[in-house]
Amino acid sequence: MEHEQITELIKAQNIFFNTNSTKEIKFRVKQLKQLKTALKSNEEKMYKAIYNDFKKSNFDAFTNELALVYLDIDEAVSKVQKWSKRKRVRTNLLNFPAKSYIYPEPLGTCLVIGAWNYPIQLSFAPVVAAIAAGNTVVLKPSEVPSETSNIIAEIVNSNFESSFFHVVEGGVEVTTDLLSMKWDKIFFTGSIKVGRIVYQAAAKHLTPVTLELGGKSPAFVSKNCNLDVAVNRIVWGKFLNAGQTCIAPDYILVESSIQDEFLQKMKNRILEMDFALKNENYVQIINDANYDRLKGLIDEEKVYFAGDFDPATRYFPPVLMKNVDFSDRIMEDEIFGPILPVIPYEDLSWAIHQVKKQPKPLACYMFSNNSSYKTRIIDEISFGGGAVNDTIMHIANSQLPFGGVGTSGMGSYHGKAGFDTFTHHKSILNKVTWLDPSVKYPPYSPKKLKLIRWIMGV
């Protein structure tokens, strides 16, 4: 889309927003239901597109992408009326007599920039929240999974008026052009590097931003955990989507006394699950550049287990690395692939200290049956969110706001948190006129000051 077309699109969305149509709850519900209908009627096309981009099976495409979007839509439809109601709050004595309210109102015209690793879910989940909150939306899906981007544009642009909801496709130049415009809200999911660019662009217009980024998310494994369950859930969470998941366990901190047993069980479980493209329970790496980047991270001397690689199909097997140190190259940046470094530790305090020395992670997981062990990690390490005795699954509970902290992101969404992300909460004090105490008006006196101090309680 050319610059002039983008300019006209944003202008049209601003005009439509100012008609107040999107503020009507019935309108929002209608659009959300229309989105679900459009997605459901095009499921087969989306399955085909995402398979061509990732070799992702229908099972994974539904469970990891579409199902979550459908659940978001259903929740928004059922709760948007409640979320949008004005809320009465207590009025302090200083303002007596009066009533105080908070009015949720939409921010306006929003830009949503999706990510490539879950191109359907990470594009539409924030869109659902933006529509529920009463905004107009321009969606820029990632161009990396090109066929999925194309089908997203086809579905949206043939089912919605562009003045309300429209998809703009393109690469870096288009994204740069979009970011140069004035928006009322920008929502970005992607890398820390690009997140900084988005934040800088938004700052020029003082546009509020939600950044869903990433980082090196640790998983702690203690000697008193249920090791078989821990292994099962770590293998699933790490190698889901071939490790191309922002909240996948990036590395393991395991008590030294169980490292060998842990690694053996991990290897056995990987073999049992038979991660392969041929049986459609595994996906390929998104492109050659990422494939080559991942291969370059492997220290052959520390490889405990690895399958056979196939660059022609971008098949990258699960890789386990043993006795990794925080100074190793694999620990420099988020892996975002199916390589799992395992770091042994003797003392939990040391392990916690090492994690705290790194940028704040998006997720943290801990496997233990010891309450004090779990409490220490939760209390002492700052991270976006996580789980005890599981991985990934906290994202599936819409009652848990999802987002990062520090370099792993800012702001959160899912459920009510998503609605709030695209909402301004306007505060209103409604005072009566039948009483107008003179205490705040000149002329002032010691008596008035004494009365004000009593009213304020200070």
Side-chain angles (χ1 to χ4, degrees):
M1 183 175 277
E2 299 296 328
H3 177 81
E4 293 76 15
Q5 293 174 299
I6 294 175
T7 301
E8 288 301 312
L9 172 63
I10 298 171
K11 181 180 178 181
Q13 289 211 349
N14 283 324
I15 291 172
F16 182 69
F17 178 77
N18 286 323
T19 66
N20 295 317
S21 297
T22 65
K23 293 183 179 180
E24 296 293 330
I25 302 303
K26 288 183 179 179
F27 176 86
R28 304 184 202 179
V29 170
K30 179 182 178 181
Q31 302 304 317
L32 289 168
K33 288 181 176 179
Q34 186 171 322
L35 176 58
K36 185 175 181 181
T37 298
L39 293 174
K40 276 188 165 293
S41 62
N42 286 279
E43 276 191 8
E44 291 304 321
K45 288 184 179 179
M46 287 186 285
Y47 289 152
K48 181 179 179 181
I50 205 164
Y51 180 81
N52 289 340
D53 286 327
F54 282 95
K55 295 296 183 285
K56 182 178 287 192
S57 68
N58 290 6
F59 182 93
D60 277 345
F62 179 78
T63 57
N64 303 338
E65 307 246 20
L66 281 168
L68 297 176
V69 176
Y70 293 155
L71 290 173
D72 283 343
I73 293 174
D74 290 345
E75 181 177 24
V77 166
S78 67
K79 295 182 179 178
V80 65
Q81 180 80 46
K82 177 183 177 182
W83 293 343
S84 302
K85 280 185 177 179
R86 73 175 187 182
K87 179 182 179 183
R88 185 173 176 179
V89 296
R90 189 181 69 85
T91 301
N92 58 353
L93 185 60
L94 192 64
N95 279 301
F96 179 83
K99 295 178 180 179
S100 300
Y101 300 95
I102 297 173
Y103 287 76
E105 67 174 13
L107 291 171
T109 299
C110 303
L111 171 64
V112 173
I113 304 176
W116 59 260
N117 54 323
Y118 292 91
I120 296 172
Q121 195 266 332
L122 294 179
S123 291
F124 284 112
V127 166
V128 170
I131 292 175
N135 302 279
T136 63
V137 186
V138 171
L139 168 62
K140 165 60 181 68
S142 172
E143 73 282 5
V144 177
S146 58
E147 292 201 30
T148 308
S149 175
N150 292 343
I151 195 62
I152 288 173
E154 178 186 320
I155 292 170
V156 172
N157 295 346
S158 62
N159 282 279
F160 295 90
E161 293 293 331
S162 61
S163 58
F164 168 65
F165 179 24
H166 194 73
V167 170
V168 174
E169 290 191 276
V172 175
E173 290 184 4
V174 170
T175 304
T176 302
D177 200 11
L178 286 166
L179 289 172
S180 70
M181 308 291 183
K182 173 68 175 71
W183 301 91
D184 295 302
K185 173 77 179 187
I186 296 175
F187 189 107
F188 170 79
T189 305
S191 69
I192 296 172
K193 177 182 177 181
V194 179
R196 288 193 176 99
I197 296 171
V198 172
Y199 199 29
Q200 289 172 349
K204 295 177 182 178
H205 300 288
L206 295 180
T207 299
V209 180
T210 295
L211 299 176
E212 298 296 341
L213 307 177
K216 296 187 74 63
S217 300
F220 290 79
V221 179
S222 75
K223 62 185 178 183
N224 61 14
C225 72
N226 184 324
L227 195 55
D228 289 331
V229 172
V231 165
N232 206 32
R233 293 174 180 176
I234 290 171
V235 168
W236 176 80
K238 174 62 180 182
F239 302 113
L240 178 72
N241 211 44
Q244 298 167 117
T245 304
C246 60
I247 53 173
D250 191 89
Y251 62 99
I252 303 295
L253 284 156
V254 62
E255 288 200 69
S256 301
S257 61
I258 62 166
Q259 180 185 211
D260 290 342
E261 183 183 6
F262 172 76
L263 283 165
Q264 184 61 51
K265 286 180 178 290
M266 287 286 291
K267 175 183 175 180
N268 293 342
R269 187 60 180 140
I270 289 169
L271 292 172
E272 287 172 6
M273 293 184 73
D274 188 24
F275 292 109
L277 298 180
K278 65 179 183 297
N279 56 23
E280 296 190 351
N281 70 355
Y282 198 59
V283 305
Q284 62 186 191
I285 301 302
I286 186 62
N287 54 31
D288 291 336
N290 274 285
Y291 191 95
D292 294 340
R293 176 186 64 81
L294 290 167
K295 280 298 293 285
L297 293 176
I298 299 175
D299 180 348
E300 296 294 341
E301 293 184 359
K302 295 192 175 184
V303 171
Y304 175 83
F305 169 78
D308 296 323
F309 295 83
D310 185 3
T313 60
R314 300 197 302 277
Y315 173 75
F316 201 110
V319 177
L320 300 177
M321 293 177 63
K322 181 181 180 181
N323 290 325
V324 174
D325 188 85
F326 277 94
S327 62
D328 291 344
R329 186 185 175 194
I330 191 74
M331 295 302 295
E332 290 178 0
D333 296 302
E334 183 178 9
I335 297 168
F336 221 69
I339 308 171
L340 186 60
V342 176
I343 302 174
Y345 72 91
E346 298 284 349
D347 178 42
L348 180 59
S349 295
W350 175 87
I352 290 174
H353 178 67
Q354 295 304 313
V355 173
K356 291 175 71 173
K357 285 167 60 178
Q358 317 304 316
K360 296 177 180 180
L362 179 57
C364 181
Y365 307 107
M366 59 225 74
F367 292 85
S368 178
N369 291 319
N370 184 295
S371 295
S372 61
Y373 181 98
K374 295 176 284 189
T375 300
R376 279 198 65 190
I377 294 170
I378 294 171
D379 288 351
E380 295 184 30
I381 299 175
S382 178
F383 55 92
V388 175
N389 292 321
D390 205 353
T391 62
I392 304 288
M393 290 303 294
H394 62 291
I395 197 174
N397 183 358
S398 66
Q399 301 304 305
L400 294 173
F402 178 81
V405 59
T407 56
S408 62
M410 62 178 65
S412 60
Y413 72 126
H414 290 179
K416 177 64 161 52
F419 175 89
D420 290 341
T421 281
F422 288 94
T423 298
H424 168 61
H425 295 274
K426 183 162 56 181
S427 300
I428 298 293
L429 177 71
N430 187 355
K431 298 200 77 169
V432 302
T433 57
W434 52 265
L435 180 65
D436 192 25
S438 63
V439 65
K440 69 179 180 182
Y441 301 123
Y444 303 132
S445 68
K447 184 178 180 180
K448 283 187 176 181
L449 180 58
K450 183 177 181 180
L451 180 57
I452 286 176
R453 290 179 68 95
W454 176 81
I455 292 172
M456 295 180 71
V458 293

